[in-house]
Amino acid sequence: MKVIALGTAAGGGFPQWNCACEMCRRPDLPARTQDSLAVSANGRDWYLLNVSPDIRQQVLAQPFLHPGPGPRETPLRGALLTDAELDHTIGLLMLREGAGFQVWAPDNVHTALRKGFPVAPIVSRYHDWMWHVVGTERFTVGSLACTTLPIGVKRPKYASDGAGPWSVAYRIEDPATGGVLVYAPCLGELSADFEAFAQYADVVILDGTFYSAGEMSGATGADGTAQRAMSHLPVSGPGGSLARKPPVRWYYTHLNNTNPMLDAHSPASAALAKAGAEVLADGQVLDL
Ligand code: MLT
Ligand code: MN
Ligand code: ZN
């Protein structure tokens, strides 16, 4: 299985279009598009994990995803959604020209994409896509075997009430190689369930929104309430994800523009390297 990091920034990207903070103004830090992966078992049929507003730019930048061989042919076959946040779903609108797509998502996400952000009925006027609800059952995507774990109850701001998980982690296994990917860009806590879910993975790609618990406090109140309400577990600190890293390949994505891990020469990046973890880069390709 090949995994491509198409984008590695949180909502708004890096630099963020409406921000002139110290980080966003630094010309030495590489720009990042919004969080999304592409996976393929055979190198010909590709599935997106989340579809960011930057999907057009991401496809143009990635030779594996270029169209062809004929007109109106694309190797993109569909998408799996971890949640209904706009940075993970707006790109579905951009894909409306594509025929025959399949979309997998948890039940609440389907509801959000029919009501609060009705992208499903909108794109269905262009092409007849297939929409699958993912629950606790194992399912297959091409030849890949997939399972999900509910990991979050934070509802997108635009969505109305709905019970059940609003975000899930995916575990994707290629039976041909035995390679296992776990992807969880919206992780509020590292529960025992999640640790079991990720235990035998070869590669774990995790929520790297914030490095520290109080990172946004300058802008949003010294107690860190606003940041906690976003339900993204920080990387550092005793309750952070890095302290619980098992001996697997461990990457961070969905970096917010406040995150010092954006700077490869920062003490935060040094702490990551010391723990054997890495920040994913836009365009990075992993084989597993
Ligand atoms: C999140 O990751 O928490 C959301 O994407 C936040 C947002 O952009 O509204
Ligand atoms: Mn996000
Ligand atoms: Zn900024």
Side-chain angles (χ1 to χ4, degrees), residues 225-282:
T225 313
Q227 181 174 323
R228 267 203 308 283
M230 290 183 73
S231 202
H232 292 292
L233 175 75
V235 171
S236 67
S241 53
L242 196 59
R244 312 272 289 279
K245 178 191 160 303
V248 301
R249 286 156 74 191
W250 189 260
Y251 296 91
Y252 286 104
T253 190
H254 193 273
L255 274 70
N256 192 52
N257 58 72
T258 50
N259 191 326
M261 289 154 45
L262 290 162
D263 177 358
H265 305 293
S266 64
S269 294
L272 242 60
K274 190 164 174 237
E278 285 177 50
V279 174
L280 267 186
D282 279 29

Side-chain angles (χ1 to χ4, degrees), residues 56-288:
R56 181 175 181 280
Q57 175 186 349
Q58 292 168 340
V59 166
L60 294 178
Q62 182 43 253
F64 280 116
L65 304 185
H66 286 176
R72 293 287 195 272
E73 283 178 6
T74 167
L76 287 184
R77 304 280 172 254
L80 296 86
L81 306 175
T82 57
D83 56 80
E85 295 288 352
L86 293 173
D87 57 339
H88 284 157
T89 55
I90 282 180
L92 291 167
L93 281 176
M94 277 74 169
L95 298 182
R96 67 192 176 282
E97 294 93 352
F101 280 151
Q102 303 193 63
V103 181
W104 291 262
D107 197 29
N108 265 346
V109 172
H110 283 275
T111 305
L113 300 184
R114 285 196 308 271
K115 294 188 171 159
F117 172 43
V119 58
I122 290 172
V123 296
S124 74
R125 299 296 184 110
Y126 295 77
H127 282 290
D128 199 15
W129 291 3
M130 283 178 71
W131 298 78
H132 310 278
V133 176
V134 298
T136 49
E137 301 286 298
R138 188 179 158 103
F139 59 100
T140 57
V141 171
S143 64
L144 300 169
C146 306
T147 48
T148 64
L149 178 77
I151 54 172
V153 294
K154 196 204 84 182
R155 175 163 52 88
K157 278 184 191 164
Y158 70 80
S160 20
D161 278 354
W166 277 102
S167 88
V168 297
Y170 283 93
R171 182 182 187 283
I172 300 181
E173 179 172 0
D174 181 353
T177 64
V180 173
L181 166 73
V182 166
Y183 173 56
C186 292
L187 188 66
E189 58 164 341
L190 240 172
S191 64
D193 281 352
F194 182 80
E195 285 185 292
F197 190 74
Q199 191 175 16
Y200 298 110
D202 298 289
V203 168
V204 176
I205 299 179
L206 211 61
D207 189 335
T209 312
F210 302 116
Y211 181 68
S212 56
E215 197 168 302
M216 280 185 30
S217 57
T220 57
D223 63 355
T225 313
Q227 181 174 323
R228 267 203 308 283
M230 290 183 73
S231 202
H232 292 292
L233 175 75
V235 171
S236 67
S241 53
L242 196 59
R244 312 272 289 279
K245 178 191 160 303
V248 301
R249 286 156 74 191
W250 189 260
Y251 296 91
Y252 286 104
T253 190
H254 193 273
L255 274 70
N256 192 52
N257 58 72
T258 50
N259 191 326
M261 289 154 45
L262 290 162
D263 177 358
H265 305 293
S266 64
S269 294
L272 242 60
K274 190 164 174 237
E278 285 177 50
V279 174
L280 267 186
D282 279 29
Q284 190 169 348
V285 180
L286 308 173
D287 278 291
L288 62 161

